[in-house]
């Protein structure tokens, strides 16, 4: 008898590849620096030109960077049962993975390759970061609890693609649990697979690619 995935509501598990607490101080400093530059330039220009022009210049220089830093601090992603929560500057967005209409693994190849999961449900699409690797195989991967919960949520979706990706995450989970080397980790093999193709644009892994990662 196969083990049934646990899809009961549970305490939310963070799915952020890099904990927001790690970069929040840097973002706060960036916001303050941007505001300081804008105000400084505005005061300087106010001595030379009309104040509306000086104010406009200050806003153009300081506001975009400051707003980006503030918005980035609000970004959070978590999973409760099968419901994915994405907190952004525009509010809290929810997507039920069990009701997904599309599940894909994308690889952004480069010096720092990124592997992400794209989940679609009707008009809504969410990107879940899974791992990022350098050419040498070092990098960062989604933590074990996040992988487990994400795999369970995908296993609750009737899509064949969701079940295939769930299996890949189970293999990744087992590799991380035994501290396997990079070549034994499916997500790293996905990044290497795309780098070997010299792809410039993000690549959506095919069903055949997914099957190879599960071997």
């Amino acid at each position: 008898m196969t083990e049934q995935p646990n899809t009961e509501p549970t305490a939310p598990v963070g799915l952020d590849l890099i904990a927001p607490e790690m970069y929040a101080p840097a973002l706060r400093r960036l916001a303050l620096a941007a505001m300081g530059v804008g105000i400084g330039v505005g005061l300087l220009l106010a001595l030379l030109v009309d104040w509306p022009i000086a104010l406009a210049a200050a806003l153009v220089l300081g506001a975009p960077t400051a707003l980006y830093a503030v918005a980035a601090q609000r970004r959070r992603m978590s999973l409760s049962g099968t419901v994915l929560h994405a907190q952004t500057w525009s509010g809290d967005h929810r997507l039920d993975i069990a009701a997904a209409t599309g599940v894909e693994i994308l690889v952004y190849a480069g010096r720092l390759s990124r592997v992400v999961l794209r989940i679609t449900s009707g008009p809504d699409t969410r990107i879940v970061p899974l791992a990022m690797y350098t050419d040498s195989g070092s990098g960062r991967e989604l933590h074990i609890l996040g992988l487990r919960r994400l795999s369970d949520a995908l296993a609750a979706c009737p899509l064949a693609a969701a079940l295939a990706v769930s299996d890949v995450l189970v293999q990744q989970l087992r590799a991380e649990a035994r501290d396997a080397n990079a070549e034994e980790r499916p997500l790293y093999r996905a990044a290497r697979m795309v780098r070997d193709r010299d792809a410039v644009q993000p690549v959506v892994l095919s069903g055949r690619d997914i099957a190879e990662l599960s071997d």
Side-chain angles (χ1 to χ4, degrees):
M1 180 180 295
T2 58
E3 182 181 353
Q4 295 298 315
N6 178 18
T7 59
E8 293 298 321
T10 55
V13 173
L15 296 182
D16 297 293
L17 196 58
I18 301 177
E21 293 77 12
M22 294 181 63
Y23 57 76
L27 288 175
R28 284 195 292 269
R29 290 193 295 269
L30 177 61
L32 291 174
M35 293 170 59
V37 169
I39 292 172
V41 171
L43 291 175
L44 180 62
L45 288 178
L47 301 175
L48 306 173
V49 299
D50 294 336
W51 71 265
I53 298 176
L55 178 60
L59 290 175
V60 168
L61 285 174
T65 301
L67 289 175
Y68 168 79
V70 171
Q73 291 183 64
R74 287 183 52 84
R75 291 176 185 167
R76 300 287 191 281
M77 186 168 289
S78 62
L79 182 64
S80 180
T82 64
V83 179
L84 185 65
H85 300 262
Q87 184 179 346
T88 67
W89 65 270
S90 60
D92 185 30
H93 303 274
R94 301 185 179 190
L95 186 152
D96 188 354
I97 296 177
T101 54
V103 174
E104 300 168 309
I105 291 181
L106 282 75
V107 178
Y108 297 76
R111 290 186 176 180
L112 183 63
S113 298
R114 294 186 296 125
V115 185
V116 305
L117 177 65
R118 182 165 66 188
I119 305 173
T120 303
S121 180
D124 299 325
T125 298
R126 291 294 155 197
I127 298 293
V128 181
L130 297 176
M132 55 185 181
Y133 299 104
T134 64
D135 290 341
S136 64
S138 62
R140 186 179 293 270
E141 300 166 328
L142 186 61
H143 56 84
I144 288 178
L145 183 56
L147 284 172
R148 174 63 186 271
R149 294 285 181 84
L150 194 54
S151 173
D152 286 347
L154 289 167
C157 179
L159 290 178
L163 298 177
V165 172
S166 175
D167 188 52
V168 169
L169 297 187
V170 168
Q171 300 302 322
Q172 177 73 19
L173 177 66
R174 291 172 177 169
E176 289 192 23
R178 67 176 187 271
D179 197 24
N181 61 45
E183 296 295 334
E184 298 180 72
R185 302 182 180 224
L187 296 181
Y188 175 73
R189 296 208 309 272
R192 190 190 61 187
M193 179 189 298
V194 174
R195 282 203 305 267
D196 290 345
R197 298 174 185 175
D198 294 326
V200 177
Q201 299 297 323
V203 172
V204 178
L205 298 188
S206 66
R208 183 175 181 177
D209 293 333
I210 298 292
E212 289 182 13
L213 296 178
S214 298
D215 291 342

